[in-house]
Amino acid sequence: MFGGTGNSPSIELSSYRDQHFKSLHHTLQGSRAEQDRLLRVSTTLYVGNLSFYTTEEQIYELFTRCGDIRRIIMGLDKYKKTPCGFCFVEYYTRADAENCLRYINGTRLDDRIVRTDWDAGFIEGRQYGRGKTGGQVRDEYRTDYDGGRGGYGKIIAQKIQPEGHFGR
């Protein structure tokens, strides 16, 4: 386990807020104040920029270096149910999650730089991508080729190979 005490900029709340945040009642749109309150006590982290091929075991191997993990929830394409480049890691303690932000955010996993941020707490259904095609929104609009994230972005890929064209 890593040492360290006190607050550091790496564990402070980022400016990002989940625009789809639901209150604890799961049906009402949550307030910014409620989301901020939950973020300040959370033991759950959002992990982004993962390869579509990164396994739960690889995540576990890296993230347990900061403490005991309660659970890992893999992000899935909502239609194909295949990994789509993000996950949630829930620790047992806030201190372990803080160490993860300090020491793992910005490190390399499966040849990619992973990003970690506080999450207000996992709610069933959030494991699915929010993009129109089922994956993450960012992968629909990406214009570069990224083999670890399925090749070209979905919109560009459709222009390169129109639907129904299978080559010979």
Side-chain angles (χ1 to χ4, degrees):
M1 183 176 316
F2 296 103
T5 59
N7 284 350
S8 74
S10 64
I11 64 166
E12 299 299 319
L13 299 184
S14 71
S15 61
Y16 174 80
R17 293 298 178 273
D18 182 356
Q19 299 302 309
H20 298 276
F21 173 72
K22 301 280 187 219
S23 75
L24 293 177
H25 304 291
H26 307 302
T27 56
L28 306 172
Q29 185 68 26
S31 70
R32 168 86 184 231
E34 181 182 3
Q35 187 174 176
D36 285 353
R37 181 183 60 77
L38 291 171
L39 288 168
R40 283 191 291 276
V41 298
S42 180
T43 60
T44 303
L45 300 175
Y46 169 87
V47 181
N49 199 40
L50 296 173
S51 166
F52 290 3
Y53 307 104
T54 300
T55 65
E56 187 172 334
E57 290 78 17
Q58 287 173 290
I59 294 164
Y60 186 85
E61 175 70 26
L62 177 62
F63 284 73
T64 54
R65 294 178 186 186
C66 292
D68 292 332
I69 293 174
R70 181 186 309 258
R71 65 181 174 160
I72 296 171
I73 299 103
M74 295 297 289
L76 302 174
D77 181 294
K78 67 182 159 194
Y79 302 120
K80 298 184 225 168
K81 306 297 187 266
T82 56
C84 66
F86 73 97
C87 74
F88 298 94
V89 175
E90 185 179 345
Y91 285 94
Y92 284 99
T93 69
R94 174 77 176 192
D96 290 345
E98 288 176 353
N99 279 335
C100 180
L101 282 175
R102 281 187 189 102
Y103 303 114
I104 292 182
N105 186 41
T107 62
R108 198 170 286 278
L109 174 62
D110 217 5
D111 208 27
R112 302 187 67 80
I113 302 297
V114 294
R115 293 189 309 259
T116 60
D117 200 357
W118 290 112
D119 187 81
F122 176 75
I123 295 173
E124 186 61 35
R126 290 197 52 225
Q127 71 268 37
Y128 299 114
R130 295 177 177 165
K132 293 176 188 165
T133 60
Q136 290 191 68
V137 173
R138 69 176 279 223
D139 288 314
E140 293 184 349
Y141 298 99
R142 198 169 26 78
T143 58
D144 61 321
Y145 182 85
D146 187 338
R149 292 186 71 89
Y152 286 105
K154 301 290 185 186
I155 293 172
I156 298 294
Q158 288 171 353
K159 290 178 181 175
I160 293 172
Q161 184 170 12
E163 205 170 308
H165 178 266
F166 299 105
R168 294 179 190 235

